[in-house]
Amino acid sequence: MATITAALVKDLREKTGAGMMDCKAALEANAGDVEQAIDWLRKKGLAKAAKKSGRVAAEGLVAVAVRENRGVVVEVNSETDFVARNEEFQALARAIADVALEKSADVEALLGTHYPGGGTVQEAVANAIATIGENMTLRRAAELQVHKGVVGQYIHNLVAPGLGKIGVIVALESTGDPIELAGLGRQIAMHIAAANPQALDAAGLDPAVVAREKGVLADKNAGKPAHVLEKIVESGLKSYYKEVCLVDQAFVHDPSKTVAQAVKESEGRIGGAISLKGFVRYALGEGVEKQESDFAAEVAAAAGGQA
C-alpha cells in the first residue's frame, strides 16, 4: 500500500480545493496517484477541475519581441530572481528574443544562431554563466506570424522593456487598420495573461483531455437514462469550453461578451474581418519543479553548523 504523506495530501488539496480528509481518502483509494485521485474527487463532486498551472519554480525572465505581423516569446531561466534583475542577464534575454525574431524560434536552431557581438547564442549563454556565476538556460521559444494583420503582445509583471514574468503574443489576421488592430491585440493578450486559456477553441484541445472530461461527467451522473446522460455530458462540455477555450471565455475587459463576440464587434471600427489565428502564453517556470530548501538550515550549514 502506498504511503500517503502530508505533503502529498497538501499537494492534492492545493490542486483541487477539496477538504484535507477527502484528499487523504482519495489518495488512499488510488494508491497515491494524484491524477487518479483528482478524478476520484471530481466524480464524487468534491473538487473542481484540476488547476492547470504547475508550480512556478524556475527563475529568470520571459522576453517578447514583435515586429508588425511577426512575434516571438522566449523563456531564459536563471537560478535566482536576483540574477533576473541583473542588467547583463536582461540584455541577454532581450538579445535572444531579437535574434529569434530575425531568424528562428526553434530552440536548437536558435542556440546555434549568430549572436550580436560574436559567437552563437549558446556561447553567449555560456559566457553569461561564467561572468555572472549562476547557471542559465534557454528553456523554450515560440513564434507566430500572419500574412496580413498584426501580432499583439503583453507582458505581465514587467521587469524591464520587453521582459517580465508572463509573456503573451496573439496573432490577428486582418486587412483592417493596423494601429487599431494592435490595440485590440494587446487587449486580447492581456486577457490571455489573466485567463490562461488552454487552446484557441475546442478543436485545439488535446482529445485525451476532452475524453477525460467526458469520462468524469459521465461517471458523476452514472445511472441516468442514456439520452439524459448524453445531454448532461454535452452541456458539461460546453461549460468546460467556456473555461478553457479562448474564443468561448468571457472577455476580461467586458465579461458580458465572449472573446469571439468582442472580436466580431471590433470589425467595424477596425475596418475589416478579423480572425484569431493562435496565441502563445509563457509564464515563468511553469511546469518546472524546484527543490524546496530550508533557508535557516542553509545558513547554519554555511556557518559550520552553528545556529
Side-chain angles (χ1 to χ4, degrees):
M1 182 176 178
T3 301
I4 309 302
T5 65
L8 204 57
V9 173
K10 180 174 179 289
D11 179 44
L12 181 58
R13 189 167 188 266
E14 289 175 348
K15 288 181 175 179
T16 63
M20 195 71 74
M21 295 308 295
D22 290 326
C23 287
K24 185 172 185 294
L27 288 164
E28 288 175 343
N30 292 279
D33 187 301
V34 173
E35 292 302 311
Q36 289 183 21
I38 290 171
D39 286 352
W40 187 90
L41 287 166
R42 294 185 61 210
K43 289 170 185 177
K44 292 183 176 295
L46 298 173
K48 296 181 179 180
K51 295 179 182 177
K52 297 294 181 183
S53 57
R55 291 176 58 192
V56 177
E59 301 296 344
L61 290 167
V62 174
V64 171
V66 170
R67 183 182 299 118
E68 297 175 350
N69 65 333
R70 187 165 187 271
V72 300
V73 56
V74 304
E75 180 179 352
V76 185
N77 292 138
S78 61
E79 291 182 50
T80 65
D81 183 59
F82 178 78
V83 167
R85 297 193 296 271
N86 179 290
E87 290 185 2
E88 184 176 343
F89 180 78
Q90 292 176 3
L92 173 70
R94 188 179 294 112
I96 291 175
D98 288 341
V99 172
L101 185 64
E102 289 292 334
K103 301 296 182 180
S104 170
D106 176 83
V107 171
E108 291 302 316
L110 184 54
L111 286 170
T113 301
H114 176 74
Y115 185 82
T120 64
V121 169
Q122 188 162 24
E123 290 169 339
V125 173
N127 290 338
I129 293 171
T131 302
I132 298 174
E134 186 169 305
N135 190 35
M136 302 167 198
T137 59
L138 169 57
R139 183 185 174 208
R140 53 182 175 164
E143 62 187 287
L144 290 175
Q145 186 167 356
V146 291
H147 178 62
K148 290 285 187 179
V150 303
V151 173
Q153 63 172 308
Y154 174 68
I155 299 171
H156 190 62
N157 288 337
L158 191 72
V159 174
L163 307 170
K165 301 297 185 182
I166 298 177
V168 177
I169 54 175
V170 56
L172 290 80
E173 187 88 46
S174 178
T175 57
D177 186 315
I179 295 177
E180 290 287 345
L181 195 61
L184 175 63
R186 177 175 171 79
Q187 283 193 323
I188 296 172
M190 291 175 71
H191 168 96
I192 293 167
N196 192 17
Q198 303 303 305
L200 182 66
D201 52 28
L205 288 170
D206 183 344
V209 171
V210 177
R212 175 178 174 180
E213 194 67 23
K214 285 183 177 179
V216 169
L217 289 167
D219 286 348
K220 283 178 67 175
N221 295 278
K224 290 183 171 61
H227 69 285
V228 174
L229 185 60
E230 183 179 352
K231 290 181 179 180
I232 290 174
V233 171
E234 182 180 351
S235 176
L237 282 178
K238 286 182 180 179
S239 297
Y240 176 67
Y241 295 153
K242 288 179 182 179
E243 294 178 8
V244 301
C245 296
L246 174 61
V247 296
D248 296 318
Q249 289 179 327
F251 194 34
V252 294
H253 300 282
D254 184 356
S256 69
K257 61 189 70 171
T258 65
V259 171
Q261 289 171 336
V263 169
K264 188 66 178 177
E265 290 179 11
S266 299
E267 292 181 343
R269 170 172 55 84
I270 287 170
I274 305 168
S275 177
L276 291 176
K277 293 298 184 181
F279 70 88
V280 179
R281 179 188 187 275
Y282 279 178
L284 181 66
E286 60 190 347
V288 178
E289 289 288 343
K290 180 173 69 175
Q291 184 177 355
E292 297 294 332
S293 62
D294 185 333
F295 183 67
E298 289 180 4
V299 173
Q306 297 179 355

